[in-house]
Amino acid sequence: MKSEEKFVRGLGQFIDDIKFPNMLYMSVVRSDYARARLLKVKGGINAKVFNHPLAAVGEGAMSGFERAQHMVFASEFVNYLGEPIAAVYADDPYKSEDLISSVEVDYDPLKPVIDPEKALDAEPIHSGFKSNIISEKWLGKDFKNDSPIVLEDSFRNNRIVTNPIEPRGVIANYDGKRLTLWIGTQSVFSIREGICAAMDLPPENVHIIQADTGGAFGSKGGLYPEYVMASYIAMKEKRPVKWIETRREHLMASHPGRGAMAKMKLYADRTGKVTGLRGEILVDSGAYAGGTGEFSSRFIAHQLTGQYHIEQAYIRALSVFTNKVPQGPYRGAGRPEAAFFTERMMDMLADELKMDPFELRLLNATEQPFVSPTGLKIGASKPFMIKARKELGYVPYEATKDTGVAMFVLVPAAQPGESARVRSEDGRIKVWLGGNVHGQGHEDFVKKIINEELGVKEELVELELGDTDAMEAGIGSWGSRSAMMGGSAVTVAARKVRDQVSKKFGSYSVSKLLSGSFDVYEFFSYKDSYNSFGSNLAKVSVDSYGRIKVLEDRSYYDLGRILNRQMVRGQIVGGNLQGIGQTLSENIEFDDEGQLLTSSISEAGLLTSEITTKYTVKFDETPSDLPSGAKGLGEAPTIGTPSAIARAVEVYTGKRIRDTPIKLS
Amino acid sequence: MAKKDVNITINGKEYSSKVEPRLLLVHFIRDVAGLTGTHVGCDTSNCGACTVVLDGKAVKSCTVLAVQADNKRITTVEGLARNGKLHPVQEAFVDKHGLQCGYCTSGMLMTSFWLLQKNHNPTEKEIREALSGNLCRCTGYENIVKAVKEAAKEISAEQNKDLVREEPIEA
Amino acid sequence: MRPTEFDYFAPGTLEEAIGLLKKYDDEAKVLAGGQSLLPLLKSRVTSIPYLVDIGNIDSLTYITKNDRALLVGSTTKVSALENYRNFGKNLAILKEATASIADPLIRNMGTVGGNIAHGDPGNDLPAVLMALDGSVTVTGPEGQRHVRARDLYLDSYTTVVKSNEIITEVQFPDWGTRSSGTYIKFKKPAGDFSIAAIAIQLKVNKDGLCEKFGSAVASVGPTPIYLKRSSEAMVGSKITPMAMEKAAEEAAGEISPTADRDGTVDQKRDLVRKLFIEGTRKSLRKL
């Protein structure tokens, strides 16, 4: 049964749908404070019983610090609201939740550091550190520039929560030798790596099986403390242990994205040619090392030159600790931030020179492939922009009234490639991918590729969920990489299957393939970047109360080969709405004491079906030279939309827009 | 606390059990009846992943006690198909790519099913209003709305009252 | 998120329900549709030892009319009221207000009485009932009493209804010919809660002079607030732009908003001022 049919019949097996006899249900006791010394913890499984640092695994995760590592349980201090302190469990989820209040926790509250800018000068939240700076890196080279036009501005993209409709969850079980985890995830291999490190087990003794995964958007790729707790309890009790996140836990303690600020300084001559860019990126990393916070500031800095030929750039990339949950990837993960900061400056320059914003962008486009001072590799952007102007239906007159455009570079997480396995057995083809599907329709491109490469009817092809026992290695489904890298791995594996069939039978035919048993595992290795271009145009109206309505969001992206048009449009429109959400409503807010103000999914700003934006989606389909022919896709719609809307609102209201979500008073 | 006997008819089948009064209807459906197509997404009555049709009306089963549903009739997503054949609204969600991750889908289907029972030819505005208590993070709602329109067409075309069935509609 | 334990009763008659409330007094609470109460129980913000479910008392579910008012039994579902077909122009406000409560699924379960009894300052029907100068019937061990909506609310989640009493009927007055009103809910950017909402009902005489005027707001104070001074200011003269402006200024001063992530105190006052004018204009157009 195709996964879509399975889901409409209600037959999906999401993590909370899986049940084992004798199962225990775990609940987590969490910090009520953003920052406090723990005076007493009594009851449950807590740091005194078991503890281990969480390994940095998954998308963009880095850990350069021995100290300030996120532990499974807080011991001496808590450093963010919702930080785990203890775990309790019972044989019924209601009773398990009752047990939370049985754990005694005494706090000595401390003044938290909430604002990332203030964190720069505040007393370090971790003892033994000189400051709250977790990482600092300069990109590009210092330069002298005496251009006549120098523009400066500051911007902020507030933190937002990934909020897949399915929360996170896990089931752990231990049979005396092997630990098995069923989990909703983007990467069974990242989870295995993290669990092996935390439980001190060799990979062969840890088995990770992906459940149907109800959306992720970044939050289901890395290791979280609850997965380790469940593993520990399963090993201790020799019983299966289930943990399902509540939405409040998700809002407090799942890693949010964005949370980046920029100070930008743009140099240009009077024709509008940009001659230099200085900037400082400040990322709110949250309380501990190990998430994306450390890496995120330099990733944003890397992309700041955008689609433009800017020869001089010098960017300071800073990440700071705050008393908030560690930052993680959220769809776009640094890309929308970079586009926002750059495009807002380009619009400012256009206004300064009274130029058409599109003309200004064209003037600064490159006609040749270009590597910017921040290391961003791009192809010729000018031809793309010329096409974009037409495909987006750009009208200069409208651009002064209600319309904004944005150009961006999509930097997919191409490296180090991805794995796939293709197996012919019992007259059917089974395929596994190293990166695990969570709603993007991998099944469709897998069926199409197998059909094209091997001639097998699509209904005989099945995409299996992730399973560490099914393959040697795998990376993950994130960073706009699945069709380009996973698709390429499937393509290469299928070709090898074809060769095997030919070798065995002397020639290839579908019936020969299906009559036999063939099995190829392939890691498609890729060591370079594979960046592509995208653009958005937004039209808005603003009512007398300052309420913004996004009338239109038009997308024109360079996607390479389109493997399934309906799926691609679905991905783009869904991502567009996430971009609209970031711009209009999505937010995670704390008061000065670090208490959560956005404590429901609606308070966090998720938009409903009543948003009636008209979407127009067009794309350049020139295939990439990768085996799948695809280019990056998944994050594109979240990158250009916020910048385009911000500009549209700016021209509509005459008010400079610097932050998301936009607040017009 | 004294447990209560409840008897709930789900998709035409009776389920009787002694339950704690605090047991939420969604957990009765999932754990007592074992029908896991109805999901829990938000805990705060916002997302609608838990939507079921209770005595002819779509409600959020995470915000109803099982004891409140005693002696009532419920339709869940598993009850939409008939003799294995998908209901038009299910067909349309597949056909129009009205789902991506599939998690909000059962709630979306149940609200749409309820809407189409009381309104065979809803306008786009009516569809969007009806679905405003069901959150989707993947699709941007566009294809969901298309799917509901498609299903409405299908249902009208078939003129098959049998498809629009089961619970009577109140004012 | 799951509630703590409680005992549950589902009486079939009002008398039984009152008896149970009397017995358990402060430890008991009425459960109507549960759309406000259950989320509180699930989040464990509150725990209640005894729930008395009045959802099975059939005699509390009705919509009828007499010559002065629309009478709604308290366990009538919000969606049933929303779908009521005979509001006419006089009670058009009720159609707008009911349709703006939460979402259609919650309206299918939530009750009219519950929306009024809960005492959430953001709820929609209390402002409407106050604007209309409606009332509720409260039934308790001592029998029935009537409470004017404008006297019902004491503080957030606190009303004059005692723990052993139940709101059994809600009376929405019909203001007769040449009357109409409107409900405007200014929602947060996402979700169903309002930053401010206003209910306006007005009646003019043959000469176009304002004969009656009622306005009330939600979400801008610890309780829904009847805008007494601004409502009274409108009565007795023509509803001119100037009169509206003046009364709107008054309205902005009658509320007690708090600053939060949705706006400063001044922004909220300004919002209510604008909503008052928009609501009055809209009501006039409906006459």
Side-chain angles (χ1 to χ4, degrees):
Chain A
M1 194 184 290
K2 255 198 89 178
S3 63
E4 288 192 326
E5 185 178 338
K6 177 176 79 175
F7 292 136
V8 299
R9 286 181 183 274
L11 300 177
Q13 284 286 291
F14 295 96
I15 187 64
D16 198 18
D17 302 339
I18 300 170
K19 225 178 169 180
F20 293 111
N22 212 22
M23 195 151 74
L24 292 167
Y25 296 85
M26 183 181 91
S27 298
V28 181
V29 179
R30 296 176 184 277
S31 174
D32 293 332
Y33 293 91
R35 190 179 183 202
R37 183 186 292 276
L38 283 175
L39 301 175
K40 176 180 154 191
V41 179
K42 200 178 154 198
I45 305 293
N46 60 45
K48 275 173 270 171
V49 181
F50 165 77
N51 219 357
H52 202 282
L54 298 172
V57 297
E59 181 182 8
M62 280 181 92
S63 190
F65 281 98
E66 291 292 307
R67 299 160 298 157
Q69 281 183 314
H70 198 311
M71 302 295 287
V72 174
F73 295 112
S75 51
E76 207 182 333
F77 292 94
V78 285
N79 277 305
Y80 65 89
L81 181 80
E83 184 174 349
I85 294 171
V88 292
Y89 51 94
D91 54 14
D92 171 282
Y94 283 75
K95 291 198 185 83
S96 174
E97 216 172 305
D98 292 344
L99 286 174
I100 291 176
S101 59
S102 73
V103 176
E104 294 170 48
V105 185
D106 289 343
Y107 304 89
D108 175 19
L110 301 167
K111 184 75 189 159
V113 175
I114 299 303
D115 186 276
E117 263 186 312
K118 289 182 185 153
L120 284 171
D121 302 318
E123 164 218 0
I125 66 165
H126 296 295
S127 61
F129 281 78
K130 287 200 183 82
S131 76
N132 284 317
I133 295 175
I134 169 171
S135 73
E136 177 176 15
K137 199 169 160 51
W138 289 88
L139 281 81
K141 265 202 330 220
D142 201 0
F143 58 86
K144 283 207 166 72
N145 189 313
D146 53 6
S147 295
I149 294 167
V150 183
L151 300 173
E152 287 183 76
D153 211 345
S154 305
F155 309 100
R156 182 194 276 253
N157 285 171
N158 265 11
R159 278 185 161 202
I160 45 185
V161 181
T162 60
N163 271 325
I165 304 302
E166 181 203 35
R168 294 186 298 114
V170 68
I171 298 171
N173 192 30
Y174 185 64
D175 65 5
K177 185 166 181 288
R178 282 190 106 195
L179 175 68
T180 303
L181 264 65
W182 291 260
I183 188 166
T185 185
Q186 299 166 254
S187 170
V188 289
F189 287 98
S190 292
I191 300 295
R192 186 176 71 177
E193 189 188 342
I195 291 292
C196 285
M199 301 309 296
D200 200 19
L201 289 168
E204 61 272 21
N205 287 358
V206 176
H207 183 195
I208 312 292
I209 302 169
Q210 186 199 11
D212 280 324
T213 302
F217 312 109
S219 61
K220 294 178 184 170
L223 184 70
Y224 276 88
E226 299 90 355
Y227 309 156
V228 181
M229 293 172 204
S231 299
Y232 174 82
I233 296 167
M235 291 178 78
K236 178 175 182 285
E237 297 289 342
K238 310 271 185 308
R239 288 172 68 179
V241 176
K242 181 189 268 192
W243 172 75
I244 302 294
E245 185 183 53
T246 65
R247 184 60 53 178
R248 183 165 167 79
E249 289 180 302
H250 185 78
L251 295 165
M252 284 195 301
S254 271
H255 302 165
R258 313 291 187 267
M261 305 163 75
K263 288 179 186 153
M264 302 280 283
K265 193 171 185 177
L266 195 69
Y267 301 80
D269 66 22
R270 294 204 185 283
T271 68
K273 177 77 193 121
V274 176
T275 55
L277 176 67
R278 275 177 204 279
E280 181 181 298
I281 301 297
L282 178 63
V283 162
D284 182 351
S285 296
Y288 296 102
T292 51
E294 208 179 327
F295 165 72
S296 177
S297 54
R298 75 191 67 162
F299 185 52
I300 294 170
H302 165 67
Q303 299 170 73
L304 282 182
T305 46
Q307 291 196 16
Y308 310 110
H309 183 106
I310 300 176
E311 289 204 337
Q312 294 184 317
Y314 194 45
I315 318 286
R316 184 186 186 206
L318 276 175
S319 297
V320 291
F321 287 121
T322 58
N323 287 113
K324 290 191 269 184
V325 58
Q327 191 211 36
Y330 166 60
R331 193 174 187 178
R335 300 162 183 89
E337 297 92 314
F340 191 84
F341 302 150
T342 302
E343 292 298 274
R344 297 282 54 235
M345 289 310 293
M346 294 305 279
D347 286 326
M348 191 182 196
L349 180 60
D351 288 346
E352 173 72 21
L353 295 169
K354 299 193 168 49
M355 273 180 81
D356 174 77
F358 217 120
E359 288 302 321
L360 178 88
R361 284 167 167 84
L362 265 175
L363 179 75
N364 285 288
T366 167
E367 292 178 56
Q368 300 295 327
F370 177 65
V371 181
S372 85
T374 57
L376 184 68
K377 276 168 105 170
I378 56 172
S381 56
K382 194 165 184 181
F384 173 81
M385 280 194 207
I386 290 168
K387 278 188 268 180
R389 183 166 56 182
K390 177 167 170 280
E391 298 293 340
L392 292 173
Y394 181 79
V395 179
Y397 168 71
E398 291 170 357
T400 61
K401 302 182 70 143
D402 65 355
T403 300
V405 287
M407 300 290 136
F408 64 87
V409 179
L410 172 59
V411 180
Q415 298 171 29
E418 188 55 281
S419 66
R421 178 179 169 195
V422 176
R423 188 169 91 182
S424 159
E425 194 187 59
D426 303 329
R428 300 183 72 83
I429 302 290
K430 283 189 173 179
V431 177
W432 289 262
L433 288 171
N436 308 132
V437 66
H438 46 278
Q440 314 97 314
H442 295 172
E443 190 183 8
D444 290 82
F445 76 65
V446 162
K447 282 171 185 276
K448 185 177 166 95
I449 290 170
I450 294 295
N451 175 265
E452 286 176 352
E453 295 293 333
L454 296 172
V456 179
K457 283 185 195 149
E458 293 197 1
E459 58 265 30
L460 295 178
V461 182
E462 282 160 43
L463 174 65
E464 300 292 309
L465 292 168
D467 185 332
T468 52
D469 275 8
M471 287 202 290
E472 286 163 35
I475 305 301
S477 176
W478 53 62
S480 304
R481 65 199 313 276
S482 293
M484 60 192 300
M485 292 303 151
S488 292
V490 175
T491 308
V492 176
R495 287 172 189 169
K496 288 189 177 172
V497 165
R498 194 185 180 99
D499 291 346
Q500 281 188 359
V501 175
S502 302
K503 215 169 184 178
K504 187 172 172 190
F505 294 104
S507 65
Y508 177 83
S509 76
V510 176
S511 58
K512 283 171 187 161
L513 165 68
L514 295 176
S515 68
S517 197
F518 300 92
D519 200 337
V520 171
Y521 163 82
E522 173 72 20
F523 195 102
F524 175 76
S525 186
Y526 195 80
K527 302 212 158 49
D528 204 349
S529 55
Y530 209 112
N531 303 337
S532 54
F533 296 128
S535 57
N536 278 86
L537 181 147
K539 291 172 98 64
V540 304
S541 68
V542 182
D543 73 9
S544 61
Y545 293 98
R547 281 181 295 196
I548 300 160
K549 203 169 172 184
V550 180
L551 305 172
E552 275 196 60
D553 189 358
R554 301 180 195 164
S555 302
Y556 176 66
Y557 303 147
D558 176 13
L559 297 179
R561 182 169 168 242
I562 303 295
L563 291 158
N564 182 313
R565 309 191 88 78
Q566 192 185 41
M567 210 61 64
V568 164
R569 184 181 165 99
Q571 283 293 305
I572 291 174
V573 170
N576 285 153
L577 186 67
Q578 290 188 343
I580 294 171
Q582 175 190 335
T583 318
L584 302 191
S585 57
E586 288 190 43
N587 205 352
I588 190 83
E589 274 191 74
F590 296 89
D591 66 13
D592 290 344
E593 299 306 314
Q595 291 298 318
L596 191 64
L597 298 171
T598 43
S599 62
S600 75
I601 195 167
S602 291
E603 288 285 322
L606 244 71
L607 295 170
T608 72
S609 54
E610 292 190 281
I611 297 287
T612 55
T613 303
K614 182 186 169 205
Y615 303 98
T616 308
V617 177
K618 293 184 177 179
F619 23 77
D620 184 329
E621 299 182 52
T622 314
S624 70
D625 53 12
L626 297 166
S628 69
K631 295 180 185 174
L633 160 64
E635 288 159 309
T638 62
I639 306 175
T641 292
S643 307
I645 296 172
R647 175 58 178 178
V649 172
E650 188 167 277
V651 293
Y652 197 101
T653 61
K655 285 184 186 150
R656 178 80 171 142
I657 302 299
R658 298 183 172 88
D659 303 332
T660 64
I662 297 172
K663 279 192 176 172
L664 297 171
S665 53
Chain B
M1 302 283 158
K3 288 194 173 183
K4 303 277 174 192
D5 283 310
V6 293
N7 183 307
I8 303 174
T9 302
I10 307 176
N11 306 327
K13 189 176 163 194
E14 273 188 49
Y15 295 86
S16 296
S17 184
K18 242 184 175 22
V19 303
E20 283 192 309
R22 63 172 167 167
L23 184 74
L24 300 171
L25 178 58
V26 67
H27 295 136
F28 184 94
I29 294 167
R30 291 175 52 82
D31 299 333
V32 178
L35 298 166
T36 56
T38 304
H39 301 144
V40 176
C42 75
D43 302 309
T44 46
S45 321
N46 295 116
C47 83
C50 62
T51 305
V52 299
V53 172
L54 169 68
D55 276 357
K57 287 182 177 174
V59 301
K60 293 180 170 176
S61 66
C62 80
T63 315
V64 180
L65 299 171
V67 289
Q68 284 178 285
D70 189 21
N71 293 320
K72 297 197 163 128
R73 297 170 65 81
I74 285 170
T75 308
T76 70
V77 67
E78 292 93 340
L80 291 179
R82 274 215 158 168
N83 304 322
K85 190 182 180 307
L86 295 180
H87 185 277
V89 77
Q90 291 172 307
E91 291 265 14
F93 268 66
V94 174
D95 188 45
K96 294 291 169 192
H97 188 39
L99 63 147
Q100 289 179 22
C101 81
Y103 197 78
C104 75
T105 309
S106 10
M108 290 289 177
L109 287 168
M110 295 319 293
T111 302
S112 306
F113 170 70
W114 165 69
L115 169 71
L116 294 173
Q117 279 191 317
K118 57 172 193 152
N119 182 350
H120 293 212
N121 191 19
T123 62
E124 171 154 348
K125 190 159 186 277
E126 285 168 338
I127 295 170
R128 287 183 177 275
E129 275 169 10
L131 292 172
S132 66
N134 293 82
L135 294 175
C136 172
R137 187 60 155 163
C138 295
T139 63
Y141 304 102
E142 182 182 71
N143 287 344
I144 293 176
V145 174
K146 278 188 197 163
V148 179
K149 281 186 196 164
E150 169 83 5
K153 252 189 263 169
E154 188 63 29
I155 289 171
S156 311
E158 289 193 21
Q159 289 284 310
N160 186 348
K161 292 285 178 274
D162 194 29
L163 285 167
V164 184
R165 71 167 201 279
E166 208 136 311
E167 290 86 1
I169 310 299
E170 292 164 40
Chain C
M1 300 215 284
R2 298 164 166 92
T4 53
E5 289 187 338
F6 52 78
D7 241 327
Y8 168 89
F9 304 97
T13 66
L14 185 57
E15 293 66 35
E16 279 177 72
I18 306 254
L20 286 161
L21 290 176
K22 198 177 162 194
K23 183 171 168 194
Y24 296 110
D25 199 38
D26 280 352
E27 297 208 287
K29 195 158 170 81
V30 173
L31 175 72
Q35 301 304 286
S36 300
L37 187 56
L38 291 180
L40 290 178
L41 292 173
K42 281 170 66 182
S43 70
R44 303 196 174 204
V45 168
T46 180
S47 74
I48 293 157
Y50 302 97
L51 283 188
V52 179
D53 183 355
I54 58 171
N56 294 313
I57 306 172
D58 294 339
S59 63
L60 295 181
T61 303
Y62 57 87
I63 304 174
T64 57
K65 244 181 175 176
N66 65 19
D67 52 355
R68 286 196 311 248
L70 186 75
L71 313 173
V72 183
S74 60
T75 61
T76 304
K77 305 286 190 209
V78 171
S79 60
L81 184 58
E82 179 188 356
N83 292 325
Y84 181 69
R85 292 182 198 284
N86 301 314
F87 286 130
K89 165 183 91 189
N90 304 357
L91 279 172
I93 187 172
L94 265 181
K95 177 84 186 168
E96 291 173 4
T98 47
S100 73
I101 293 172
D103 63 57
L105 312 179
I106 289 176
R107 300 201 290 273
N108 276 341
M109 194 68 201
T111 64
V112 172
N115 193 276
I116 283 164
H118 190 56
D120 183 332
N123 277 3
D124 300 291
L125 291 179
V128 175
L129 198 62
M130 282 177 150
L132 290 167
D133 199 10
S135 56
V136 294
T137 303
V138 175
T139 309
E142 320 297 322
Q144 286 190 347
R145 61 188 178 113
H146 290 271
V147 179
R148 208 175 162 194
R150 293 173 187 177
D151 301 327
L152 186 58
Y153 299 98
L154 300 172
D155 203 344
S156 294
Y157 305 99
T158 312
T159 67
V160 301
V161 179
K162 296 188 199 113
S163 60
N164 58 13
E165 292 178 320
I166 299 172
I167 292 181
T168 45
E169 188 184 86
V170 184
Q171 293 105 20
F172 296 99
D174 184 335
W175 284 21
T177 49
R178 290 184 302 275
S179 72
S180 192
T182 196
Y183 188 72
I184 305 177
K185 186 169 185 174
F186 191 91
K187 287 188 186 181
K188 295 183 180 193
D192 308 306
F193 291 99
S194 59
I195 298 172
I198 195 159
I200 287 186
Q201 183 76 9
L202 53 82
K203 180 176 170 67
V204 297
N205 68 13
K206 279 182 200 143
D207 307 319
L209 296 182
C210 180
E211 202 176 298
K212 273 172 94 175
F213 194 98
S215 59
V217 283
S219 295
V220 283
T223 66
I225 297 166
Y226 166 55
L227 300 171
K228 186 169 189 290
R229 292 202 305 270
S230 41
S231 296
E232 284 171 359
M234 296 296 289
V235 177
S237 51
K238 270 224 150 67
I239 302 176
T240 60
M242 198 139 60
M244 277 189 253
E245 287 280 354
K246 230 180 120 191
E249 280 303 330
E250 199 72 68
E254 283 187 271
I255 61 173
S256 42
T258 45
D260 57 23
R261 54 189 293 262
D262 298 311
T264 62
V265 167
D266 284 347
Q267 283 170 340
K268 290 184 180 183
R269 288 192 195 281
D270 189 51
L271 175 59
V272 165
R273 192 182 58 75
K274 284 180 174 166
L275 290 174
F276 186 93
I277 294 168
E278 188 188 332
T280 306
R281 287 217 169 103
K282 229 173 132 185
S283 303
L284 277 175
R285 280 200 300 272
K286 287 191 193 173
L287 281 176

